[in-house]
Amino acid sequence: KNQVEQSPQSLIILEGKNCTLQCNYTVSPFSNLRWYKQDTGRGPVSLTIMTFSENTKSNGRYTATLDADTKQSSLHITASQLSDSASYICVVSPIGRDYKLSFGAGTTVTVRA
Amino acid sequence: NAGVTQTPKFQVLKTGQSMTLQCAQDMNHNSMYWYRQDPGMGLRLIYYSASEGTTDKGEVPNGYNVSRLNKREFSLRLESAAPSQTSVYFCASSQSRRTANTGELFFGEGSRLTVL
């Protein structure tokens, strides 16, 4: 079973609307949680990195939150744009296992005009 | 601004054929990685190289070999391709193995491989 589960698998929103993506993880203990954006046919690009002690991190219209007690994170996209159409991947880094990151399967977001 | 460069971007192979995916980074990073991405699954680590001259198995190494040619280049070889190796392959790099965990991991654009 994957240690990082994302929901929903996909969603469609209208341009200008907000949306929230969810990430539940079982990796413990962990050093940080990241969100990546992956455009179709491209490699993942980092959006935010939060350590286990941080609750929120923003990058422009993207805001990530982290609740280490419930092992949940969310990525909120504000005032969506067509360029936000992409897959968003949640990644958790375990303490003491360096490079062995746990990747979620991603949520595919489609923004329509 | 090249970052991580992979070649080829697309490849179609027949079962049993061999091929090598090439990866180069220009960020002077010590650590490099090969991942595969399959529909409905998270990225999975195939092999990694913590530093020049070292390579180690990741989560799904069977059917693959790697070579860390120098600090810049890390290649992935399929000796006898199988349909199960149809996937999108990503090369990535980080300043060190530790910073892959604590900081930035930079990905290439991906290589889409189809094995018939």
Side-chain angles (χ1 to χ4, degrees):
Chain A
K1 180 172 166 58
N2 196 359
Q3 293 185 298
V4 179
E5 298 286 348
Q6 293 187 240
S7 62
Q9 190 172 22
S10 63
L11 65 93
I12 299 172
I13 58 173
L14 293 176
E15 189 177 14
K17 299 297 186 182
N18 305 334
C19 69
T20 300
L21 316 180
Q22 300 293 341
C23 173
N24 294 336
Y25 60 91
T26 59
V27 179
S28 182
F30 73 101
S31 67
N32 64 70
L33 184 146
R34 321 170 192 201
W35 284 91
Y36 282 86
K37 179 186 181 188
Q38 184 176 20
D39 292 320
T40 301
R42 308 293 294 273
V45 175
S46 179
L47 284 175
T48 63
I49 299 177
M50 292 181 291
T51 67
F52 65 90
S53 60
E54 294 181 290
N55 298 121
T56 186
K57 183 69 69 77
S58 291
N59 179 356
R61 294 178 296 99
Y62 300 100
T63 300
T65 63
L66 174 62
D67 185 334
D69 291 332
T70 62
K71 295 185 172 58
Q72 294 180 324
S73 177
S74 64
L75 181 69
H76 187 74
I77 304 175
T78 302
S80 60
Q81 300 176 359
L82 297 178
S83 59
D84 293 328
S85 294
S87 179
Y88 293 85
I89 301 172
C90 176
V91 186
V92 182
S93 305
I95 287 178
R97 297 180 66 199
D98 286 348
Y99 54 90
K100 291 185 178 179
L101 311 179
S102 292
F103 290 80
T107 292
T108 300
V109 175
T110 302
V111 181
R112 292 190 173 160
Chain B
N1 293 333
V4 179
T5 303
Q6 294 181 229
T7 57
K9 293 193 185 308
F10 300 94
Q11 184 72 48
V12 178
L13 292 176
K14 294 181 179 178
T15 297
Q17 288 184 319
S18 63
M19 77 157 299
T20 299
L21 300 178
Q22 306 286 354
C23 174
Q25 51 90 11
D26 62 2
M27 296 173 282
N28 200 35
H29 284 169
N30 291 299
S31 301
M32 298 184 72
Y33 315 82
W34 277 105
Y35 290 91
R36 60 178 289 173
Q37 185 176 42
D38 300 295
M41 303 181 70
L43 284 153
R44 292 181 292 169
L45 183 65
I46 304 171
Y47 270 94
Y48 70 99
S49 171
S51 60
E52 185 178 356
T54 69
T55 61
D56 285 287
K57 295 178 180 179
E59 183 183 354
V60 287
N62 292 345
Y64 305 94
N65 286 301
V66 290
S67 296
R68 183 73 182 266
L69 304 171
N70 47 56
K71 189 172 184 179
R72 290 187 62 249
E73 298 173 289
F74 188 38
S75 64
L76 178 72
R77 182 162 178 84
L78 287 69
E79 291 291 352
S80 179
S84 61
Q85 294 178 304
T86 293
S87 186
V88 181
Y89 292 86
F90 287 96
C91 178
S93 72
S94 63
Q95 182 58 45
S96 70
R97 192 177 75 176
R98 184 169 186 277
T99 55
N101 184 282
T102 60
E104 287 289 350
L105 187 63
F106 296 87
F107 287 88
E109 297 288 87
S111 298
R112 184 175 294 275
L113 175 66
T114 301
V115 183
L116 303 176

